[in-house]
Amino acid sequence: MQQATDFLDETHALGELIAPLSDADYLQETAFKRWTIDMVLRHLHFWNTAALLSVKDEAAFQALVSGLTDALRKGALPDHERAHFNGLSGRALREDWLAMARETADVFAQTDPSQRLKWVGPSMSARSSITARLMETWAHGQEVYDQLGVVRENADRIRNIVVLGVNTYGWTFANRKLPIPEPMPHLVLTAPSGEIWTYGDAQADERIEGPAEDFCQIVTQVRNIADTGLSVSGANASAWMEHAQCFAGPPQSPPAPGTRCLRS
């Protein structure tokens, strides 16, 4: 699966970004819920581990996620993840996370993309599972890039996230118990390479146009629409960009304008 390679490439990009950091630097708080860089990496590491076990050892996967309900109810997921890794932190955490990501990518690359895998919620295909890992790595990586004041250089592998955003158009509204507005807006997005990606039927009155990375930032909720370069026309398009959520779980709200931006 190309998605396995894309996941690993995105992981390596984040790994290279933080390679110069000292152990103390990992304690910096990002703009995402005051999570430190340590907390971001432990979160990615935990769920990469879960994805790997869902392929290799279903019993071990069930054991790993068995205590999550209580942690999620209490809002203590970072504490649960920290305990799982015995407080692993800093550069040692980075190395462990990278090693697990490489193994995860290798296993998924050899897995039937249509194979159904257990998950915390509904089961999903192997392709969807590794795409979700890519999406989370990219999305949580953004708060690290922002914190370190680095402008991210995206690659066309973000098309996986664009597709995920398009595929969750209906979910965005259904998850909020809202009617799904039709038609879905026409997307005209410029890829990092300069290629133009289009989705949905061409229409002048319902249209979203601009950089593909900005669309990805909206559907992963790492930016407010006001802090992007997207041009949005139409009621359906405006509603989508206000509520867009390409990840599972209860409805979440995007950050307020100006709160999730590059640190200077």
Side-chain angles (χ1 to χ4, degrees):
M1 284 186 286
Q2 180 61 40
Q3 287 82 1
T5 299
D6 292 342
F7 157 72
L8 188 58
D9 287 346
E10 196 61 55
T11 298
H12 282 157
L14 179 56
E16 289 171 8
L17 173 72
I18 62 177
L21 301 184
S22 68
D23 285 339
D25 290 331
Y26 284 76
L27 301 179
Q28 296 179 57
E29 290 185 351
T30 73
F32 176 73
K33 300 180 180 180
R34 301 186 66 181
W35 278 22
T36 64
I37 297 174
D38 262 346
M39 292 163 72
V40 171
L41 284 196
R42 280 195 292 262
H43 180 72
L44 295 177
H45 193 9
F46 183 92
W47 293 102
N48 290 348
T49 303
L52 177 63
L53 291 177
S54 73
V55 179
K56 292 182 64 177
D57 189 335
E58 189 173 309
F61 165 77
Q62 295 289 6
L64 178 69
V65 302
S66 62
L68 280 177
T69 301
D70 192 48
L72 289 169
R73 181 177 58 81
K74 294 178 178 177
L77 182 59
D79 293 336
H80 182 88
E81 293 163 348
R82 186 178 189 277
H84 175 77
F85 293 114
N86 296 315
L88 189 64
S89 176
R91 297 176 66 84
L93 171 60
R94 174 184 175 272
E95 294 307 311
D96 211 50
W97 161 66
L98 286 172
M100 176 60 71
R102 293 183 188 110
E103 183 180 359
T104 301
D106 182 60
V107 168
F108 271 87
Q110 301 173 59
T111 300
D112 179 352
S114 64
Q115 180 180 337
R116 302 302 297 181
L117 301 174
K118 294 284 188 181
W119 199 242
V120 177
S123 67
M124 66 177 83
S125 70
R127 189 191 306 278
S128 293
S129 179
I130 197 64
T131 299
R133 301 314 316 135
L134 163 65
M135 179 273 292
E136 272 222 299
T137 301
W138 186 88
H140 280 292
Q142 188 63 60
E143 59 239 32
V144 180
Y145 279 90
D146 290 347
Q147 175 61 28
L148 298 180
V150 176
V151 176
R152 186 183 221 155
E153 294 185 11
N154 282 292
D156 280 10
R157 59 179 173 265
I158 66 170
R159 188 165 194 168
N160 294 289
I161 304 171
V162 171
V163 171
L164 188 59
V166 170
N167 288 345
T168 52
Y169 174 74
W171 152 258
T172 287
F173 296 96
N175 192 33
R176 288 163 173 74
K177 297 180 171 53
L178 297 172
I180 301 171
E182 297 293 345
M184 187 190 88
H186 183 49
L187 285 179
V188 182
L189 303 176
T190 304
S193 65
E195 184 180 349
I196 301 299
W197 299 335
T198 61
Y199 299 86
D201 296 333
Q203 50 198 310
D205 56 343
E206 289 289 352
R207 181 182 174 97
I208 298 169
E209 185 172 3
E213 61 192 82
D214 289 18
F215 177 79
C216 292
Q217 289 175 343
I218 294 303
V219 299
T220 58
Q221 295 190 350
V222 303
R223 290 284 191 273
N224 186 285
I225 184 67
D227 297 318
T228 72
L230 292 178
S231 173
V232 180
S233 301
N236 296 357
S238 295
W240 188 15
M241 293 296 92
E242 179 183 355
H243 299 300
Q245 179 175 330
C246 73
F247 48 89
Q252 301 290 324
S253 298
T259 60
R260 292 288 305 275
C261 298
L262 193 70
R263 298 285 179 89
S264 58

